[in-house]
Amino acid sequence: MRVEVQDYDMSEKHDCGAQTVLPVWELKQGIRAVPLHDRKGVRYKSVRLLMRFDFV
């Protein structure tokens, strides 16, 4: 699963602010802090996205 965080600007083009790829078979139900990467794939040192996974 690919997750992309968009940077929405009022006056400029919307850009990809960060991204990550999560293997579906490793996903578990609950809350998880997911590390993010820039467009080149370099991991941000102090940036994480808090995500909640619920499966029905």
Side-chain angles (χ1 to χ4, degrees), residues 11-25:
S11 61
E12 298 180 18
K13 183 178 110 178
H14 305 314
D15 296 318
C16 173
Q19 63 183 347
T20 192
V21 177
L22 304 169
V24 175
W25 59 86

Side-chain angles (χ1 to χ4, degrees), residues 3 16 19-20 37-38 47 51 54 56:
V3 178
C16 173
Q19 63 183 347
T20 192
H37 303 79
D38 66 12
V47 178
M51 297 182 73
D54 288 323
V56 290

Side-chain angles (χ1 to χ4, degrees), residues 1-2 4 10 17 21-22 39 48:
M1 176 173 71
R2 182 173 181 267
E4 182 175 294
M10 295 296 282
V21 177
L22 304 169
R39 295 184 93 188
R48 293 186 179 267

Side-chain angles (χ1 to χ4, degrees), residues 1-2 21-29 32 53 55:
M1 176 173 71
R2 182 173 181 267
V21 177
L22 304 169
V24 175
W25 59 86
E26 289 184 11
L27 295 179
K28 295 180 182 175
Q29 191 158 319
R32 180 175 169 190
F53 297 98
F55 304 102

